[in-house]
Every structure is written in C-alpha cells, then in structure tokens.
Amino acid sequence: MQSNKLSNLQPDILRKCVALLQSFSSSPPKLKQIHGFSIRNGVPLNNPEFAKHLIFSYVSLSLSMSYSHRVFSQLQHPSIFTWNTMIRGYAESQNPTPAVRIYKQMHVSEKVYPDSHTYPFLLKAIAKMMDVKEGEMIHSVTVRNGFDSCVFVQNTLVHMYAACGVVESAHKLFVLMSERNLVTWNSVINGFATNGRPNEALSLIREMGVEGVVPDGYTMVSLLTACAELGALYLGRRVHVYMVKVGLHSNLHAGNSLIDLYAKCGSIWEAHAVFDEMERRNVVSWTSLIVGLAVNGFGEDALELFGKLERERLIPSEITFVGVLYACSHCGMVDEGFEYFRRMKEEYGIPPKIEHYGCLVDLLGRAGQVQRAHAFIQSMPVEPNAVIWRTLLGACMIHKNLALGEVARAELFRLEPKHCGDYVMISNLYASEGRWSDVHKVRTTMLSKGVRKAPGHSLVELRNRVHEFFMGDKSHPQTEEIYEKLEEMMMKLRLEGYSPRTSNVHADIEEEEKEKNLSYHSEKVAIAFALINTSPGTPIRVVKNLRVCGDCHLAIKLISKVYGREIIVRDRSRFHHFRDGLCSCKDYW
C-alpha cells in the first residue's frame, strides 16, 4: 500500500524536484538539499527528466563531473541536451579528454546526431587538449554535417586552431567567414599575439577598428601581449590610457597584462605602479611582478616581493617559483636558490617540473660551476630535455669548458638535431679555442643538414612604429645618417678608452675586419638610429632576439655615459639597464 502511495505521488514530486532544480541552480548548498530531498522521496536517478536537470545543475556549478557521469551512465536513452551537457562539463573541467570519448559514444554507438550546440562544446575541449589532429577531424565532420556555416561553430573552430598554434588555419577560416562577431576577432587576434606573431595581431586590430568593431577587455589583453612581444612601450601606454578611459583597467586579467607589458618593455617601475594601484590582486599579479623584477636584473627586489607575498599568506604557484629561482640565477645566489627549491617541494608541496630543474642548471652554470651543473643533470629524477642541455652548453661557452660542451652538444644533436642555435654555440666554443678546422666541420654539417643560422636582429619603437635592424643593415631610408652616427659613436667611445673585444667575433679573419664586424652589430645600428631620431636625454629601448655579446655590452655601457642616455636592452634571456657607464646586471649575465 505504501509503494502504491509513492507511485501515485511520483509525478508531483518529480515536477517539484525539477522546479526546485531550476530555481536554485546557482546555489551549491541548495542543490545538495534538493538532491537529498529527491532521494528521500524516491525519485530515481535514472529518470531522464530529473537526471537531465540534475546533471545540468552540477555542470553549471562546475561540481563533480565524476558524480555527473555516474548519473549519466544510468540513463538508457539520454537526450541530445544531456549528451551536450556532459560534453560541455568536461570541456570546462580540468580534464577535457572524456568529452571526445562521450561524443564518439553518442555519435557512433548510440546513433544520436549532434546539433549546433554539440560542436562548440566539443571544439572547446579539443582546444584545451591542444589536439589539432582531432580538431581537424571534427572540422571535416562539421562540414559534412552542414554545421560549418553556423557562426558559433565557426568561432570555436577559429579558437581551436589558434589555441593549438595553427594560426594560419585560424586566419584562413576567419577570412572566409561571412559573419563575424567580437568573439571571432578576439580569437584570431589572440592566436597571433600568443604565437609569436605580434605584427599580424596589431594589423588585425587596426582592421577591426576600420570595420567599426568595438574592442573589449579580451581584445585589450591580446593587444598588450602583442605590444609586450615587440617591446612597443609607447603603443602599450596608449592602450593603457584607452583602458582607463573606458573603464577596462580595473579588470584583474587586464591589470595583470599591463604588469607583464611594462615589465617586458623594461619599464619595471611602471609595472610596479600598476601593481600598487590594483584594487584586487591574485597570485598571477604577484608572480608577474616577481618575474618582471627578476628578468630586469632586480633579483633582490624580486625576492623581497616574494617575502611580502608569503606574509600576505598567499600560496605561490609553480610559476612564482620559476621567477624566484630565475632571480637567484641572475644574482649568483646559488645557496639561496637551492634553499628556495627545497622550500617549494617541502613547505608548499609543489612537485618540481623541468622548468625548475632548468633554473638550477642555469644557476650553477652562470656561477661557473659547470661540472656541478652536469652532475645535477645526471641526478635529476626526470629526463633532461633539450633546453636543459642547451643551458649547460651556453654555460660551457661562457666559461670556456670545451670538454663538457661537447658532451652537451652530443645530447642536443640526439634530441634536436636541427636547432641552429646549438650549432652556433658549439662553433663559437671551438672558435674561442682557435680550433678553426672544427668550426669549419660544424658549419659544413649545418649546410648538409639544411640548418640555417637565425640572423640577429634588434627592434626599436619610434612614434608608434617598430623599426627592425640586422647586422650591417643598409635597407633603412636613413642608412646614410645611421652609419655616420655609428662612426661618430665609435670615435667617441675610443676617446673613452674603448677597445673592441675582437674575441667576440668567432671567425678566422683579420683583426681590422673583426673590429668593423663588431661595430655593425644590430643593437649598435639600432642605438645609432635612436640617437638620431630622439631628443637628448630620452631613454632608448632595444629588443634583441639573441644574447648581447660582450663587446656590445661594453660599448653600450660607454654609450650611455658619453651620450647621457638610459639605454634598456632586452635580449633573449634578460634586460640590461645601462646608465652612466654601468649596467644593472653588474656584468653578470
């Protein structure tokens, strides 16, 4: 009799439970109470109507996907809405992989046909997985099923390709789209900005303005990323002013991007000012400034800020510790670096990643302890990658340890046989020892394997335009003035006692030719251009794609003194702030 009564009440209870789920879907405690109420009143989990709303509520609140899956697995014939909800839940979770498995189960095993909502959720999961091959297969399925013209599907395809680093495919889709919205523009712009194509990102932002599309916070973050990559400080400042004007500067993500911009443009005190003015900060904010201080040569300040972070009782991330170890590395603080490494593992329970081990190899290598660095690599519990061995090879080149350099080179040629920088470093190491026949062998090997040396270039921003210079570059409209300025610079430097460090020219040529070679390095050409085109006393900022050589480092110190200029040079590993004949790195880099 009791069971009959329950069965009679079931439809009312079911309707009540569904209505309650829809009313309190934004409150986790209420959701659990409703769930408990449904269990007490005998509503079965395999009821498709109840399960649909329960799963949707759990997914919407980013609650347990394992429980949602348990409920889902009890359903005999889930609706397309429920399938999509499960795919969405995994796409938005930390582990998006099951989304693809559920899609295949739905499509292949259960013969349920996807709709226009399925593919955006699925492609979002694939973008998180960065599985471009899977994404390409789904792309072909969307075309076959006629969903490729849906703007939501197109947007997630653009996002997927951009997130996977295949920006050409993302842009090709973008160009072919008949209808675009702000999401489309942001996806392709961010794809270029975060994949080393800042010029293309800036071009698209200009095109966006011409078409009358109003940017939002995401657009601004992508624009700041592109400016940071190019070292375009003045353009970045204009973006900052615009953000303040339209009220986007208070956005936490945008604020963090501003810190990153100023730090990567060598204006670390502006980065600090943004940090100080932020109404709300998270660990990313602290980490961005710690890393910024470290790469700008202010290691002690970076470590002091880390101490403040701890006193605020914030939990540092693994990236925070990369910044801390980097600071120790660039200040020669070997013992302190290993102590922070110990604390990271023991106090914060952060398992070391290859980046942390790389920082310690760099720390030892810069300090001249190359044998200890090699021993440390051999004792690592993870397999050393090419970056680890490349770091050791770089240290061997600086400290002239040819035997160990050849060990590192052998490992690098095994792991990444076509990386041009490795050939250049070992060639330079042989050249520093006067072993010209070995230099010739290395260069012959490069030619036979089709490996080409990446040319050194330097960037200078002037009036919102970035100018690029190569060694001995004579393509610029102001070439004649630039080289006259170079001659003047060299003459003034010699009067200050400058003597070219010809040991930095790794070629078997005459001494006079070596001196000429040094004076045409791209950073010197860029500085000559900046001296011509900027007012006296104006800081000069240069971005170089390779490590600054010892001769240029010495010359720029003297240029800063002779011309009374602050010169900030960002090379591939750090910043050098030159002022009054001194450098912030204290000649340790």
Side-chain angles (χ1 to χ4, degrees):
M1 184 157 178
Q2 181 69 20
S3 63
N4 287 339
K5 187 178 179 182
L6 254 177
S7 63
N8 290 335
L9 290 172
Q10 187 69 32
D12 290 336
I13 293 170
L14 178 61
R15 278 194 294 273
K16 185 175 182 179
C17 288
V18 169
L20 287 169
L21 284 173
Q22 291 173 326
S23 302
F24 297 104
S25 59
S26 62
S27 168
K30 289 285 184 185
L31 175 60
K32 290 178 181 177
Q33 287 177 22
I34 296 163
H35 192 177
F37 174 81
S38 69
I39 292 169
R40 286 195 303 275
N41 285 276
V43 178
L45 282 178
N46 63 358
N47 180 284
E49 185 66 14
F50 176 70
K52 175 178 85 170
H53 290 284
L54 182 64
I55 291 170
F56 181 78
S57 297
Y58 267 86
V59 166
S60 297
L61 293 170
S62 302
L63 298 176
S64 171
M65 278 308 297
S66 60
Y67 187 80
S68 298
H69 201 115
R70 206 156 78 228
V71 175
F72 176 76
S73 64
Q74 294 183 43
L75 298 175
Q76 287 189 338
H77 300 292
S79 66
I80 184 62
F81 176 88
T82 309
W83 286 102
N84 286 345
T85 302
M86 289 299 296
I87 293 169
R88 173 196 158 194
Y90 279 115
E92 293 172 353
S93 73
Q94 294 296 312
N95 178 23
T97 308
V100 177
R101 194 163 59 245
I102 285 176
Y103 164 76
K104 288 177 179 175
Q105 181 189 345
M106 174 190 86
H107 195 35
V108 179
S109 306
E110 302 295 330
K111 306 296 183 192
V112 176
Y113 290 100
D115 64 11
S116 59
H117 296 284
T118 309
Y119 293 112
F121 295 143
L122 179 62
L123 289 163
K124 183 177 180 180
I126 292 168
K128 254 189 179 180
M129 294 158 59
M130 297 185 72
D131 188 346
V132 71
K133 287 191 176 178
E134 188 71 49
E136 287 171 339
M137 285 192 286
I138 298 302
H139 186 179
S140 65
V141 172
T142 64
V143 173
R144 201 161 56 240
N145 292 347
F147 289 108
D148 58 312
S149 59
C150 171
V151 70
F152 301 111
V153 175
Q154 288 177 325
N155 279 348
T156 44
L157 280 167
V158 171
H159 169 70
M160 183 274 296
Y161 282 120
C164 293
V166 191
V167 284
E168 288 82 5
S169 295
H171 188 245
K172 186 177 178 182
L173 269 174
F174 171 82
V175 169
L176 293 172
M177 286 174 70
S178 57
E179 181 188 349
R180 302 174 191 143
N181 57 23
L182 183 56
V183 173
T184 326
W185 284 93
N186 283 344
S187 293
V188 73
I189 288 168
N190 189 58
F192 279 121
T194 56
N195 283 285
R197 305 276 289 276
N199 285 316
E200 289 90 335
L202 293 178
S203 295
L204 276 168
I205 286 167
R206 282 192 288 270
E207 187 183 328
M208 181 180 175
V210 170
E211 294 201 10
V213 182
V214 180
D216 65 359
Y218 291 105
T219 322
M220 292 297 102
V221 168
S222 297
L223 179 51
L224 291 171
T225 301
C227 291
E229 182 75 18
L230 288 167
L233 177 63
Y234 299 105
L235 179 56
R237 283 175 177 156
R238 285 179 61 196
V239 175
H240 189 176
V241 168
Y242 173 82
M243 289 168 67
V244 172
K245 184 179 176 182
V246 298
L248 289 171
H249 66 294
S250 57
N251 176 281
L252 179 62
H253 192 36
N256 291 340
S257 296
L258 281 168
I259 294 172
D260 189 56
L261 163 82
Y262 287 123
K264 285 183 176 174
C265 289
S267 189
I268 192 62
W269 306 122
E270 285 184 272
H272 215 308
V274 171
F275 177 85
D276 291 339
E277 290 166 8
M278 289 174 75
E279 294 175 9
R280 188 165 65 92
R281 306 182 192 120
N282 60 7
V283 172
V284 176
S285 319
W286 289 82
T287 298
S288 297
L289 188 54
I290 287 168
V291 172
L293 286 163
V295 298
N296 274 274
F298 304 102
E300 293 88 350
D301 297 285
L303 298 176
E304 185 181 330
L305 188 65
F306 178 74
K308 287 181 182 177
L309 177 149
E310 291 189 300
R311 288 192 290 278
E312 292 275 337
R313 300 194 179 280
L314 291 167
I315 306 298
S317 68
E318 59 189 43
I319 301 171
T320 314
F321 275 102
V322 169
V324 167
L325 295 174
Y326 194 94
C328 293
S329 176
H330 284 267
C331 293
M333 301 166 70
V334 175
D335 294 338
E336 292 87 344
F338 276 88
E339 175 59 17
Y340 280 117
F341 184 71
R342 181 199 66 77
R343 290 186 58 208
M344 178 186 78
K345 293 188 295 179
E346 297 177 11
E347 292 182 23
Y348 290 101
I350 298 173
K353 291 195 171 180
I354 196 75
E355 292 85 0
H356 301 107
Y357 289 111
C359 284
L360 292 180
V361 172
D362 186 54
L363 173 64
L364 293 168
R366 286 181 190 277
Q369 300 181 33
V370 287
Q371 293 292 351
R372 187 180 166 192
H374 184 229
F376 179 78
I377 293 171
Q378 292 177 310
S379 69
M380 282 165 44
V382 295
E383 184 72 22
N385 62 9
V387 175
I388 297 284
W389 290 111
R390 194 166 294 125
T391 302
L392 181 64
L393 178 57
C396 290
M397 189 181 79
I398 293 166
H399 298 289
K400 306 291 189 292
N401 190 318
L402 181 57
L404 201 52
E406 288 182 321
V407 171
R409 177 203 63 172
E411 293 292 341
L412 283 165
F413 286 4
R414 177 179 64 84
L415 292 166
E416 289 186 9
K418 290 200 171 185
H419 191 283
C420 67
D422 302 333
Y423 288 91
V424 172
M425 278 197 284
I426 195 65
S427 172
N428 290 347
L429 188 48
Y430 282 135
S432 67
E433 298 286 319
R435 290 173 53 170
W436 301 112
S437 61
D438 287 314
V439 171
H440 180 71
K441 285 177 189 174
V442 171
R443 291 178 181 173
T444 303
T445 305
M446 286 179 73
L447 285 170
S448 66
K449 293 190 175 182
V451 179
R452 298 186 66 182
K453 178 184 174 183
H457 70 256
S458 294
L459 307 175
V460 174
E461 184 189 19
L462 181 70
R463 300 182 192 96
N464 297 319
R465 185 184 161 200
V466 176
H467 298 257
E468 184 176 34
F469 298 95
F470 292 86
M471 178 178 167
D473 193 357
K474 294 190 177 180
S475 61
H476 197 277
Q478 289 182 276
T479 289
E480 194 173 328
E481 294 172 77
I482 290 168
Y483 279 85
E484 282 178 10
K485 193 61 149 180
L486 268 175
E487 291 296 324
E488 177 200 295
M489 279 165 50
M490 292 300 111
M491 183 185 71
K492 287 189 174 184
L493 294 188
R494 284 189 175 88
L495 292 173
E496 285 289 322
Y498 165 72
S499 177
R501 291 188 178 180
T502 53
S503 60
N504 287 121
V505 180
H506 301 291
D508 191 13
I509 55 177
E510 295 297 325
E511 201 72 10
E512 186 179 336
E513 190 64 27
K514 286 186 178 183
E515 290 188 17
K516 187 177 179 182
N517 184 302
L518 286 170
S519 67
Y520 292 165
H521 277 194
S522 66
E523 52 268 63
K524 292 192 181 93
V525 178
I527 290 169
F529 167 78
L531 287 171
I532 294 166
N533 290 284
T534 57
S535 305
T538 308
I540 294 170
R541 287 178 168 81
V542 177
V543 177
K544 169 133 189 191
N545 67 324
L546 303 176
R547 187 177 187 271
V548 172
C549 76
D551 177 77
C552 284
H553 194 267
L554 171 63
I556 299 169
K557 282 200 295 184
L558 291 172
I559 293 168
S560 72
K561 180 183 175 184
V562 169
Y563 288 91
R565 297 288 193 107
E566 181 185 4
I567 303 173
I568 300 106
V569 178
R570 172 177 131 197
D571 71 9
R572 71 178 179 194
S573 63
R574 67 169 297 159
F575 280 85
H576 300 266
H577 292 253
F578 299 93
R579 192 198 295 255
D580 300 325
L582 300 172
C583 180
S584 59
C585 76
K586 302 179 179 68
D587 297 340
Y588 184 87
W589 89 99

